[in-house]
């Protein structure tokens, strides 16, 4: 945003001349000559600048003569200031503009506008400039330039609630109407400040309230809460009339976790603040943290009565009503949340395509019109229609639409949404309690115990020398090809069944379209059991030369030997294990090798016929393989996936004869495709049926609920992420769930999910609330917001690093491209978060974790295994532009453990979805064997139970997918067991 100086041309000059009032005949003649000289200067400026300069000097002389006769002549002051501006003497001009007396003439309003611009541009005195712009609007209501300039000041200070009428005014006036305005309006409450302008303002005038307010929001994004609080309190002291500062202070206190300060703020807010929707939104968030669902519902409802375009309030109220068994009332709010997120995405796509193409996109703009109309945002539908007509001036239908809309707007207030489209006005929640908090009821921040978990990268020492080749030009400081973004994947596969987990790494190439290259191949490393790996790719008869992405492992034919499915840019590959240490390429015979860009994949039995199926996530298509992300001057810029078509997700059903058939359409999920990055197959509700959670980097997550009637029946899925609370983050905004991890994070026996995201978006922590599989994103309460907001995380895994029975989180980090942003680095340190067992997390210091965590990387896929079989879970991490890491768990004094491997006999042999309950020391620990394992990875198929100080377990209960529940008697700890469905005694696996 730039507050550009406006220079009066012929229109204003003519207006001045027409409205002037003088007392002598001499002044009108001077004004006419002054007008003519300035107009000539404007005409000559671009072609003959020296002659133009002379005309501006002539204008100044005429203005001086007018002011000598009438010192307070508004016309004289205006043209004196204008000529000085053209002569590069802005500060001298300011004194003349400020002398102008208020009147109904255009010249008085323009003096205020010019003064405001100089105050803003030259000295960053935005608050003084704001006063000038407001005065201009008082003198000339609806003046389009004043509307625009005032809106820019409000944007600087992120005073977004105040901004709405002015943005709608810009639409009404059809002035400077472009996609940027519409994009800003759709993201209103989440619109960030202009970083460069704020930082410039902090250098020039650090006490300006608007500058301070914008700066506080930058500090809040960096989690520098103490500094943000200080800025906001200064704004409140200097400009108590700015309600936005009070509301933002509440959010900073809430997010910082200082509940005592938050409650002090909340109990002392003044009535005007109660009309701000973000006040009610932060109260709703605090009520959620305090486990007061009815208060949270009431506060969200109050927020929506004031602004129905808050995605977080719609989403949270819908979920809260669902949890209260008021599902019918919940539907309109969930529907609106979905429509809002789709609308925001459309606006961003329009903005990006306009930047990319240099003009708007007719099809996208038409969709935006429809989306705004469905939301009841009539002013915005009008704005999109006007802009679409600019793109396609000959469109008579659009002209007719404009004629129909304009009469309706005459009686509509400057509000985004028509009242009858607001679901909050159609339900009465006034009987639900309002917040009644006192400082004595402050919630103490959870104290997560310190962890002594540590790791050592032993890849090189163990004989693993693998680096993913992304085909990127090393001379480019970043990634200017789409195919270089994701990196490769890693799969854990005991292919020779000797009990020691082996590793499969996918590899890229110079060009995804070169299907004949042999320089860069996937690699299979065999675990020798003596602390070393050996490259067994050739001996295993594996030749995979495609540009590979993710990998998954599963026994597709139930013969006891794991098979490998590789996701490629191009045709996918299926390697069937021959049982003798070698594999056969069954890709073409299987039929599951469709040529597209596949990112992640999973092998699991979805229809219960005991035959494992394949689900593959499509990523990008179109020109994604050939486009070079350079601008018109051949300068590299980050590859943006916005506007690039998504490849289709595919479900391949195992027919039992080595072939797979495409069941995507028959399972009713063929319409659900996006930029898929991560997938997990698991049984969420104890139905003994596998569901699919899919993380997309484009829009919402998908949750495919398995609705197959009985084993072997035709497979049918229902997409239910929205109603289950898995579609978005807590703020109602889609998360780019690059990675997913499954586990019981709060110890209640229910499966939860962790999702990673890009920088400036918090990770998600979806905690399951009850047996009905309803989830709430508790990332903020869990301590993940402040620790992950500025990270860009990829693969993630739930891991009990200290074997204390509590699932920690490990994630790889690194930007998808060099962002050239002082707040977001390119390479990043990996993340390890320790868990207190109640679902509260805290970062473990890098100095404790080990040297690998003290270094920055471009981390990508993460898979877990116990490669040395010491009972401690280890991790393999893939990188972009660096060798893969084998992070060996070196934690001193860990707890006892029990490792369980499962073999099913009455369902698919892999036993995916089987849940195991272990009781040790009177405490129940629940783990489920899921598959998919998130981002481009496949974990070791073992369940590791950390037992802490307990040297034995009292019982083990297995809930098999066949419906059988099997109970085993107590046994000593620190063992690796093989449990076969139906056998009374487990088999102890040894390292010999």
């Amino acid at each position: 945003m730039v507050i550009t100086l406006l220079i009066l041309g012929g229109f204003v000059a003519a207006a001045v001349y027409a409205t002037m009032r003088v007392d002598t005949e001499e002044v009108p003649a001077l004004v006419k000559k002054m007008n003519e000289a300035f107009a000539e200067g404007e005409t000559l400026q671009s072609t003959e600048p020296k002659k133009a300069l002379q005309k501006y000097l002539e204008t100044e002389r005429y203005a001086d003569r007018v002011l000598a006769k009438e010192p307070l002549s508004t016309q004289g002051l205006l043209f004196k200031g204008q000529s000085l501006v053209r002569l590069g003497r802005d500060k001298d001009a300011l004194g003349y503009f400020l002398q102008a007396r208020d009147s109904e003439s255009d010249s008085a309003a323009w003096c205020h506008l010019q003064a405001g611009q100089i105050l803003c541009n030259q000295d960053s005195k935005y608050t003084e400039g704001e006063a000038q712009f407001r005065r201009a609007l008082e003198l000339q209501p609806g003046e389009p330039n004043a509307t625009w300039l005032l809106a820019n000041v409000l944007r600087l200070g992120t005073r977004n609630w105040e901004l709405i009428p002015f943005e709608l005014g810009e639409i009404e006036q059809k002035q400077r109407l472009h996609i940027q305005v519409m994009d800003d309006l759709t993201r209103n409450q989440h619109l960030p400040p202009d970083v460069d302008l704020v930082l410039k303002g902090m250098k020039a005038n650090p006490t300006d309230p608007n500058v301070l307010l914008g700066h506080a929001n930058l500090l809040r994004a960096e989690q520098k809460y103490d500094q943000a609080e200080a800025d906001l309190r200064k704004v409140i002291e200097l400009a108590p009339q700015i309600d936005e500062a009070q509301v933002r202070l509440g959010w900073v206190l809430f997010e910082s976790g200082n509940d005592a300060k938050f409650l002090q703020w909340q109990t002392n807010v003044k009535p005007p603040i109660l009309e701000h929707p973000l006040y009610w939104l932060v109260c709703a968030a605090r009520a959620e943290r305090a486990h007061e669902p009815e208060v949270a519902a009431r506060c969200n409802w109050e927020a929506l009565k004031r602004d129905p375009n808050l995605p977080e309030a719609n989403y949270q109220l819908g979920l809260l009503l669902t949890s209260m068994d008021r599902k019918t009332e919940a539907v309109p709010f969930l529907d609106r949340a979905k429509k809002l997120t789709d609308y925001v995405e459309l606006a961003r796509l329009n903005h990006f395509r306009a930047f990319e193409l240099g003009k708007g996109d007719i099809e996208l703009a038409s969709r935006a019109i429809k989306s705004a109309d469905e939301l009841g945002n009539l002013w915005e539908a009008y704005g999109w229609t006007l802009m679409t007509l600019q793109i396609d001036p000959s469109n008579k239908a659009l002209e007719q639409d404009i004629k129909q809309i304009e009469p309706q707007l005459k009686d509509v207030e400057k509000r985004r949404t028509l009242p009858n489209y607001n679901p909050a006005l159609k339900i009465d929640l006034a009987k639900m309690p309002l917040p009644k908090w006192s400082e004595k009821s402050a919630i103490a921040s959870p104290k997560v115990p310190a962890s002594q978990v540590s790791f050592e990268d032993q890849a090189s020492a163990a004989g693993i020398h693998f680096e993913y080749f992304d085909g990127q030009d090393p001379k480019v400081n970043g990634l200017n090809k789409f195919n270089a973004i994701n990196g490769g994947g890693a799969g854990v596969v005991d292919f020779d069944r000797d009990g020691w987990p082996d590793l499969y790494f996918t590899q890229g190439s110079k060009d995804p379209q070169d299907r004949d290259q042999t320089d860069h191949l996937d690699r299979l490393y065999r675990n020798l059991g003596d602390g070393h790996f050996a490259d067994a790719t050739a001996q295993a008869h594996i030749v995979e030369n495609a540009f590979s992405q993710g990998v998954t492992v599963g026994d597709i034919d139930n013969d006891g030997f794991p098979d490998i499915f590789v996701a490629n840019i191009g045709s996918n590959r299926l390697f069937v294990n021959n049982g003798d240490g070698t594999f056969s390429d069954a890709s073409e015979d299987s039929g599951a090798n469709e040529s597209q860009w596949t990112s992640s994949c999973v092998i699991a039995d979805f229809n219960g016929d005991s035959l494992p199926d394949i689900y593959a996530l499509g990523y990008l298509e179109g020109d994604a393989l050939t486009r070079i992300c350079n601008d018109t001057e051949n300068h590299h810029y980050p590859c943006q996936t916005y506007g690039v078509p998504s490849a289709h997700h595919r479900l391949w059903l195992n027919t039992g004869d080595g072939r797979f058939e495409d069941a995507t359409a028959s399972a009713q999920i063929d319409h659900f495709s996006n930029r898929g990055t991560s997938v997990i197959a698991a049984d969420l509700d104890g139905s003994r049926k596998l569901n699919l959670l899919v993380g997309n980097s484009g829009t919402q997550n998908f949750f495919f609920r398995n609705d197959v009637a009985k084993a072997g029946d035709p497979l049918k899925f229902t997409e239910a992420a929205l109603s289950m609370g898995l579609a978005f983050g807590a703020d109602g905004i889609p998360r780019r769930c690059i990675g997913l991890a499954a586990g019981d994070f709060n110890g209640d026996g229910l499966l939860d999910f962790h999702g990673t995201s890009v920088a400036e978006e918090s990770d998600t922590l979806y905690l399951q609330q009850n047996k009905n599989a309803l989830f709430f994103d508790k990332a903020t309460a869990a301590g993940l917001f402040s620790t992950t907001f500025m990270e860009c995380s990829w693969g993630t895994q739930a891991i009990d690093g200290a074997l204390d029975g509590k699932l920690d989180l490990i994630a790889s980090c690194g930007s998808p491209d060099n962002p050239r942003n002082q707040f977001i680095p390119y390479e990043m340190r990996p993340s390890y978060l320790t868990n207190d067992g109640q679902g509260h997390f805290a970062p473990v210091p890098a100095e404790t974790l080990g040297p690998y965590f003290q270094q920055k990387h471009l981390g990508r896929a993460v898979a877990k295994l116990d490669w040395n079989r010491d009972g401690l879970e280890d991790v393999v991490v893939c990188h972009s532009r660096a060798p893969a890491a084998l992070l060996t768990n070196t934690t001193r004094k860990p707890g006892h453990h029990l490792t369980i491997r499962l073999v099913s006999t009455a369902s698919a042999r892999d036993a995916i979805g089987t849940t195991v309950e272990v009781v040790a020391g009177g405490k129940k620990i629940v783990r489920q064997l899921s598959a998919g394992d998130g981002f481009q990875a496949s974990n070791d198929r073992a369940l590791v139970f950390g037992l802490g100080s307990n040297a034995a377990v009292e019982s083990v209960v297995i809930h098999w997918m066949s419906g059988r529940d099997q109970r085993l008697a107590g046994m000593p700890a620190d063992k690796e067991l093989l449990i076969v469905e139906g056998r009374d005694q487990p088999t102890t696996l040894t390292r010999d």
Side-chain angles (χ1 to χ4, degrees):
M1 175 194 64
V2 178
I3 297 180
T4 307
L5 281 172
L6 302 173
I7 300 297
L8 289 177
F11 168 76
V12 176
V16 171
Y17 186 75
T19 58
M20 63 184 181
R21 294 187 176 90
V22 295
D23 295 329
T24 69
E25 292 293 323
E26 186 179 12
V27 170
L30 289 171
V31 169
K32 181 179 180 181
K33 292 178 180 179
M34 180 174 64
N35 181 3
E36 291 172 347
F38 188 82
E40 288 180 42
E42 294 292 273
T43 302
L44 294 168
Q45 186 180 28
S46 59
T47 57
E48 299 182 73
K50 289 185 179 180
K51 289 185 178 181
L53 185 65
Q54 294 302 316
K55 288 297 177 181
Y56 294 136
L57 289 170
E58 185 179 335
T59 303
E60 183 185 7
R61 289 193 294 271
Y62 283 127
D64 287 337
R65 292 173 63 184
V66 171
L67 291 174
K69 295 178 177 295
E70 294 184 8
L72 296 180
S73 166
T74 307
Q75 301 92 329
L77 292 169
L78 177 63
F79 276 93
K80 174 71 174 181
Q82 284 281 53
S83 60
L84 290 173
V85 168
R86 278 304 198 203
L87 294 169
R89 296 165 57 190
D90 290 1
K91 290 193 176 182
D92 292 337
L94 178 62
Y96 289 94
F97 291 138
L98 290 176
Q99 291 180 54
R101 293 178 298 177
D102 288 346
S103 69
E104 295 181 357
S105 69
D106 289 343
S107 56
W110 274 83
C111 280
H112 286 295
L113 289 180
Q114 297 282 32
Q117 289 174 98
I118 294 172
L119 287 165
C120 293
N121 289 344
Q122 299 299 318
D123 301 315
S124 295
K125 294 181 178 180
Y126 290 99
T127 301
E128 292 181 35
E130 177 187 349
Q132 294 294 322
F133 300 145
R134 289 188 183 277
R135 189 59 186 144
L137 274 176
E138 290 173 4
L139 296 175
Q140 297 290 327
E143 210 293 319
N145 293 291
T147 301
W148 176 64
L149 290 167
L150 181 54
N152 283 338
V153 173
L154 297 177
R155 287 189 185 99
L156 172 79
T158 58
R159 294 161 63 181
N160 300 333
W161 179 240
E162 291 180 70
L163 180 60
I164 292 174
F166 296 97
E167 289 179 318
L168 298 181
E170 291 181 63
I171 295 174
E172 180 183 34
Q173 296 154 5
K174 304 179 185 178
Q175 295 288 324
R176 300 180 183 87
L177 188 59
H178 51 76
I179 289 176
Q180 176 72 62
V181 173
M182 303 305 297
D183 187 21
D184 288 354
L185 186 55
T186 60
R187 294 185 292 145
N188 178 260
Q189 295 296 353
H190 297 280
L191 190 64
D194 186 309
V195 175
D196 293 336
L197 210 58
V198 169
L199 294 181
K200 176 187 173 184
M202 286 300 293
K203 289 181 180 179
N205 188 18
T207 60
D208 183 274
N210 277 299
V211 172
L212 281 169
L213 186 53
H215 191 242
N217 279 306
L218 293 181
L219 293 170
R220 175 189 169 195
E222 295 181 83
Q223 288 89 50
K224 295 178 179 178
Y225 293 118
D226 289 344
Q227 297 175 48
E229 179 186 349
D231 277 1
L232 290 167
R233 292 193 185 279
K234 190 67 175 177
V235 175
I236 293 168
E237 176 188 340
L238 294 172
Q241 75 278 7
I242 300 180
D243 293 344
E244 191 76 25
Q246 286 279 8
V247 176
R248 298 285 178 180
L249 176 60
W251 275 102
V252 164
L253 297 175
F254 171 75
E255 290 174 2
S256 70
N258 193 328
D259 199 47
K261 273 190 175 182
F262 172 84
L263 292 178
Q264 184 181 40
W265 165 84
Q266 191 270 333
T267 54
N268 290 313
V269 294
K270 298 297 188 288
I273 307 302
L274 301 183
E275 291 308 309
H276 200 302
L278 291 191
Y279 164 78
W280 292 103
L281 207 58
V282 73
C283 287
R286 199 273 174 182
E288 275 282 307
R289 182 180 290 180
H291 306 292
E292 299 174 347
E294 289 196 340
V295 175
R298 173 67 185 274
C299 291
N300 279 309
W301 179 64
E302 294 287 349
L304 291 172
K305 286 197 299 181
R306 292 158 175 81
D307 184 358
N309 297 292
L310 298 170
E312 53 269 75
N314 280 287
Y315 191 50
Q316 291 297 320
L317 182 54
L319 295 177
L320 287 163
L321 291 172
T322 299
S323 70
M324 299 171 187
D325 291 326
R326 300 173 66 168
K327 295 182 180 180
T328 301
E329 294 170 301
V331 169
F333 296 101
L334 293 174
D335 285 348
R336 189 169 183 86
K338 178 66 168 62
K339 288 178 180 177
L340 284 168
T341 57
D342 289 346
Y343 181 43
V344 171
E345 179 70 10
L346 270 174
R348 295 180 71 181
L349 280 170
N350 271 283
H351 193 182
F352 176 74
R353 291 296 284 172
F355 165 78
E356 185 180 51
L357 301 174
K359 62 179 181 178
D361 185 298
I362 292 287
E363 190 271 335
L364 284 175
S366 299
R367 287 168 56 193
I369 296 172
K370 181 180 179 182
S371 185
D373 188 58
E374 289 176 348
L375 287 165
N377 294 2
L378 187 61
W379 280 107
E380 290 157 62
Y382 179 58
W384 285 112
T385 306
L386 290 170
M387 284 195 303
T388 309
L389 186 60
Q390 292 174 2
I391 302 170
D392 184 12
S394 63
N395 193 317
K396 300 300 181 182
L398 290 174
E399 289 183 356
Q400 188 63 34
D401 289 342
I402 290 171
K403 291 179 181 179
Q404 291 179 352
I405 294 175
E406 285 178 338
Q408 301 176 53
L409 294 173
K410 292 181 180 179
D411 299 322
V412 176
E413 295 182 62
K414 292 295 191 304
R415 294 186 178 183
R416 289 186 65 189
T417 307
L418 299 175
N420 59 319
Y421 282 83
N422 185 350
L425 301 180
K426 300 177 181 180
I427 183 175
D428 186 4
L429 300 183
K431 292 183 179 180
M432 287 188 175
L434 289 166
K436 292 183 179 179
W437 300 322
S438 67
E439 295 177 43
K440 295 180 180 179
S441 61
I443 304 169
S445 298
K447 302 297 182 182
V448 181
S451 172
Q452 296 301 313
V453 172
S454 63
F455 294 86
E456 180 182 339
D457 181 6
Q458 297 180 351
S460 181
I464 296 176
H465 305 283
F466 178 84
E467 182 173 343
Y468 186 78
F469 184 77
D470 58 19
Q472 177 67 26
D473 183 352
K475 297 178 182 178
V476 176
N477 184 23
L479 304 176
N480 69 345
K481 296 180 181 179
F482 283 101
N483 53 267
I485 294 174
N486 289 342
V492 183
V493 50
D494 182 9
F495 76 96
D496 53 5
R497 303 304 293 164
D498 63 355
W500 293 90
D502 312 306
L503 286 169
Y504 186 99
F505 292 98
T506 68
Q507 182 59 286
S509 67
K510 290 182 180 179
D511 182 357
Q513 299 182 99
D514 182 359
R515 308 299 164 85
D516 299 319
Q517 70 87 28
T518 56
D519 294 332
H520 304 281
L521 305 175
D522 292 9
R523 311 308 300 180
L524 175 65
Y525 284 89
R526 181 176 178 240
N527 190 337
L528 302 178
D530 61 357
H532 297 86
F533 288 81
D535 189 332
T537 313
Q539 295 92 321
H541 298 174
I542 286 181
V543 180
E544 168 56 291
N545 66 338
F547 199 107
S548 301
Q549 299 280 270
V551 59
T552 189
V553 175
D555 189 355
I556 64 165
D557 49 12
N558 291 314
D559 65 353
F561 291 92
D563 310 300
I564 299 171
F565 184 81
V566 182
N568 289 323
I569 301 179
S571 298
N572 299 325
R573 284 234 172 84
L574 175 63
F575 292 105
V576 175
N577 196 322
N578 297 322
D580 58 1
T582 68
F583 290 83
S584 294
D585 186 346
S587 306
E588 290 192 16
D589 292 340
S590 73
N593 62 335
E594 181 183 16
S595 182
Q596 64 169 25
W597 185 339
T598 304
S599 58
S600 296
C601 45
V602 58
I603 294 176
D605 176 19
F606 297 112
N607 61 355
D609 63 357
S610 299
L611 299 172
D613 312 304
I614 300 172
Y615 189 78
L617 304 189
Y619 192 56
L620 301 176
E621 60 181 15
D623 66 347
L625 299 185
T626 57
R627 188 189 304 183
I628 304 297
C629 304
N630 291 335
D631 60 22
T632 55
E633 298 179 355
N634 207 33
H635 295 146
H636 161 64
Y637 68 88
C639 290
Q640 298 285 342
T641 56
Y642 288 115
V644 181
S646 300
H648 294 288
H649 300 349
R650 290 293 185 220
L651 173 63
W652 303 97
L653 276 187
N654 192 334
T655 60
D657 57 0
R659 295 182 299 110
F660 291 80
E661 64 180 26
D662 187 350
T664 318
S666 61
Q668 301 183 22
I669 55 175
D670 52 321
H671 297 298
F672 299 97
S673 290
N674 210 287
R675 299 186 289 275
T677 52
S678 55
V679 59
I680 287 179
D683 174 15
L684 262 66
D685 54 6
S687 65
R688 316 294 174 104
K689 294 184 289 190
L690 287 179
N691 310 294
L692 279 167
L693 177 62
V694 177
N696 296 308
S697 65
T699 55
Q700 69 167 73
N701 301 326
F702 299 145
F703 181 81
F704 297 125
R705 186 180 63 223
N706 194 329
D707 289 335
V708 66
K710 63 179 183 298
D713 277 5
L715 182 58
K716 177 187 175 184
F717 282 112
T718 299
E719 203 291 304
L722 187 67
S723 61
M724 291 175 60
L726 291 167
F728 311 127
D731 55 6
I733 296 174
R735 289 289 186 269
R736 292 163 182 82
C737 269
I738 303 174
L740 286 168
D744 177 14
F745 295 115
N746 57 355
D748 63 357
L750 301 174
L751 196 65
D752 310 308
F753 298 104
H754 169 242
T756 59
S757 193
V758 297
E760 298 182 286
E761 288 184 1
S762 166
D763 283 6
T764 46
L765 186 70
Y766 295 113
L767 296 184
Q768 193 171 172
Q769 303 301 300
N770 51 46
K771 288 291 184 180
N772 294 324
L774 180 66
F775 292 80
F776 281 87
D777 175 16
K778 298 290 187 179
T780 299
L784 296 185
F785 180 88
S786 59
T787 57
T788 66
F789 187 79
M790 297 305 291
E791 291 179 347
C792 182
S793 304
W794 294 75
T796 176
Q797 297 295 342
I799 178 173
D800 186 354
L803 296 177
D804 57 5
K806 305 165 186 175
L807 288 178
D808 304 330
L809 289 169
I810 186 170
S812 63
C813 301
S815 177
D817 200 348
N818 192 338
R820 295 178 177 82
N821 186 318
Q822 62 179 312
F823 302 106
I824 304 171
Y826 188 21
E827 297 178 330
M828 299 180 181
R829 289 180 176 180
S831 170
Y832 191 99
L833 303 170
T834 186
N835 186 356
D836 68 352
Q838 303 298 313
H840 303 119
F841 293 85
V844 179
E847 294 73 18
T848 299
L849 290 164
Y852 174 83
F853 288 83
Q854 298 169 34
Q855 301 163 358
K856 293 183 178 181
H857 311 271
L858 293 176
R860 294 298 188 258
V862 178
K864 64 179 179 179
L865 73 165
D866 178 8
W867 77 272
N868 55 8
R869 297 177 68 186
D870 62 355
L872 287 164
E873 289 186 282
D874 312 308
V875 173
V876 61
V877 183
C878 298
H879 303 112
S880 180
R881 303 187 173 191
L886 180 65
L887 301 183
T888 303
N889 193 328
T890 56
T891 303
R892 296 183 179 181
K893 298 181 180 179
H896 294 283
H897 76 279
L898 183 67
T899 299
I900 293 178
R901 297 183 180 275
L902 302 168
V903 174
S904 177
T905 58
S907 59
R909 183 184 178 93
D910 285 340
I912 303 301
T914 299
T915 299
V916 179
E917 301 171 357
V918 169
V919 177
K923 179 183 177 181
K924 181 192 291 185
I925 305 171
V926 181
R927 300 284 183 261
Q928 184 178 137
L929 187 63
S930 58
D933 306 321
F935 176 70
Q936 299 189 173
S938 189
N939 295 333
D940 191 7
R941 295 291 175 240
L943 295 176
V944 177
F945 294 82
L947 306 177
S949 60
N950 299 296
V953 299
E954 285 95 74
S955 65
V956 177
V957 178
I958 305 103
H959 302 286
W960 298 97
M961 292 298 285
S962 64
R964 174 184 288 162
D965 294 331
Q966 184 174 349
R967 182 182 183 90
L968 302 178
M971 60 192 72
D974 301 321
K975 291 181 177 296
E976 183 178 354
L977 303 179
L978 176 66
I979 300 177
V980 179
E981 182 178 7
R983 293 186 185 175
D984 293 335
Q985 295 299 322
T987 300
T988 300
L989 303 176
T990 65
R991 299 177 59 181
D992 298 333

